Amino acid sequence: RDRGDSWRIYKRLLNYGRLYWGAFLIAVIANAIYAGVDSLFVYLMKPLLDEGFVQPDLTFVKWVPLIAVGLFAVRALANLCANFYMGYVGRQVVLAMRQQIFNHLMRLPCGFYDKNSSGSLLSMIIYNASQVAAACTDAVTNMVQSFCMVIGLLVVMLSISWQLSLTFLIMAPVMAIAIKFSSKRLRRLNRKNQGSMAGLTHSAEEAIEGYKVVRMFGGEQHEIERFNKAARGNLKQELKIIITKCVSTSSAVSYTHLTLPTICS
């Protein structure tokens, strides 16, 4: 059920970017090329070691710099296109979501504003919309790059040694469990982080708007302590998110790097 709800929510989020499918498609293709070049670099490690150091081939050695420069240029161009067009789609989604939220807020009854702080509403427009829209583009970028990278490395590994490749494929379920756990935890932490950001915005907004009242009653130190408490709470949530991302990324990178001995053997 949780997976179905998450997928349904994500499909609604992707609908915001359907008007920019051209830029989105360019970004996906560029990400695929980026991952493909990385896989090609891995594949070239074996002939580079064999013909460059073990049994030197002068003709091959002369072509190595040109090949390397050409591949790096293609990789850099693909990365530039992927980041720019995916960022363009993401910014457009942020704009659309902020406009939709603001238009909706302008039509809500007064009772809604009495029950919700202005800080939480401002955080919804400024921070939450940006975070949710970033998920639309970042998730697609990571998914395309990771998928193409895995496919490319599998092709390289199977072409060299299917026996050793099978060993790494057995480890795939363990990696899938780790990534699934990290994704659930990251989603939960992002919700808490949005709440902490709303509290931080609310604390700052009240102190700034009511600065006359604060100074009249000598409440400067109280407001400072209140803001510092909210800021420390937000920092705690941010650090948890960073740790979770590092664990997820490190697991995937470690699994990828374990393929190098197989390819170079």
Side-chain angles (χ1 to χ4, degrees):
R1 181 180 177 181
D2 181 65
R3 182 188 300 177
D5 292 341
S6 300
W7 175 240
R8 186 162 54 251
I9 293 172
Y10 194 69
K11 283 177 64 177
R12 288 180 57 194
L13 184 59
L14 289 177
N15 285 333
Y16 282 93
R18 69 182 185 278
L19 298 177
Y20 315 100
W21 64 270
F24 191 82
L25 182 61
I26 293 175
V28 170
I29 295 174
N31 277 314
I33 294 174
Y34 178 88
V37 173
D38 280 350
S39 300
L40 185 59
F41 270 123
V42 176
Y43 178 76
L44 291 177
M45 288 185 65
K46 187 177 186 301
L48 178 62
L49 293 174
D50 292 342
E51 301 184 28
F53 297 96
V54 180
Q55 296 177 347
D57 184 346
L58 295 180
T59 304
F60 178 79
V61 172
K62 289 180 181 180
W63 280 98
V64 167
L66 295 176
I67 295 174
V69 171
L71 290 177
F72 273 115
V74 173
R75 185 177 184 271
L77 181 60
N79 187 48
L80 175 64
C81 292
N83 290 331
F84 173 78
Y85 284 104
M86 197 62 75
Y88 171 80
V89 174
R91 291 301 95 192
Q92 293 291 343
V93 171
V94 170
L95 175 63
M97 293 191 70
R98 284 176 175 168
Q99 290 175 335
Q100 185 175 352
I101 293 172
F102 188 80
N103 291 340
H104 183 66
L105 289 175
M106 290 296 98
R107 292 174 172 81
L108 290 175
C110 297
F112 175 82
Y113 293 93
D114 295 334
K115 296 178 182 178
N116 295 274
S117 65
S118 57
S120 63
L121 298 180
L122 288 173
S123 176
M124 186 184 302
I125 297 173
I126 297 172
Y127 178 75
N128 292 15
S130 179
Q131 289 293 101
V132 173
C136 176
T137 55
D138 291 348
V140 173
T141 300
N142 294 331
M143 181 180 66
V144 173
Q145 287 186 355
S146 299
F147 177 78
C148 294
M149 188 69 175
V150 168
I151 295 299
L153 291 177
L154 283 176
V155 171
V156 174
M157 291 169 61
L158 291 172
S159 65
I160 296 175
S161 174
W162 68 267
Q163 294 91 343
L164 290 175
S165 302
L166 185 61
T167 304
F168 295 104
L169 290 176
I170 295 175
M171 298 172 57
V174 179
M175 297 301 304
I177 293 173
I179 293 174
K180 183 178 180 180
F181 172 78
S182 299
S183 299
K184 287 185 176 180
R185 176 174 172 79
L186 194 60
R187 188 164 59 247
R188 184 170 63 252
L189 289 175
N190 277 326
R191 292 197 195 100
K192 293 182 178 180
N193 191 40
Q194 290 175 357
S196 67
M197 181 60 70
L200 182 65
T201 307
H202 177 60
S203 177
E205 187 262 345
E206 279 194 339
I208 293 172
E209 286 191 354
Y211 74 96
K212 292 182 179 179
V213 178
V214 172
R215 294 183 180 180
M216 184 182 300
F217 292 95
E220 293 92 338
Q221 189 60 35
H222 172 74
E223 292 298 328
I224 291 173
E225 293 176 356
R226 181 188 177 195
F227 178 82
N228 289 342
K229 181 179 179 181
R232 285 193 297 268
N234 179 254
L235 174 62
K236 185 178 180 180
Q237 295 299 323
E238 293 281 0
L239 291 177
K240 288 182 178 180
I241 291 174
I242 291 174
I243 292 174
T244 305
K245 286 182 177 180
C246 288
V247 171
S248 178
T249 304
S250 298
S251 300
V253 171
S254 298
Y255 180 74
T256 301
H257 285 176
L258 284 173
T259 63
L260 295 180
T262 302
I263 296 170
C264 297
S265 61

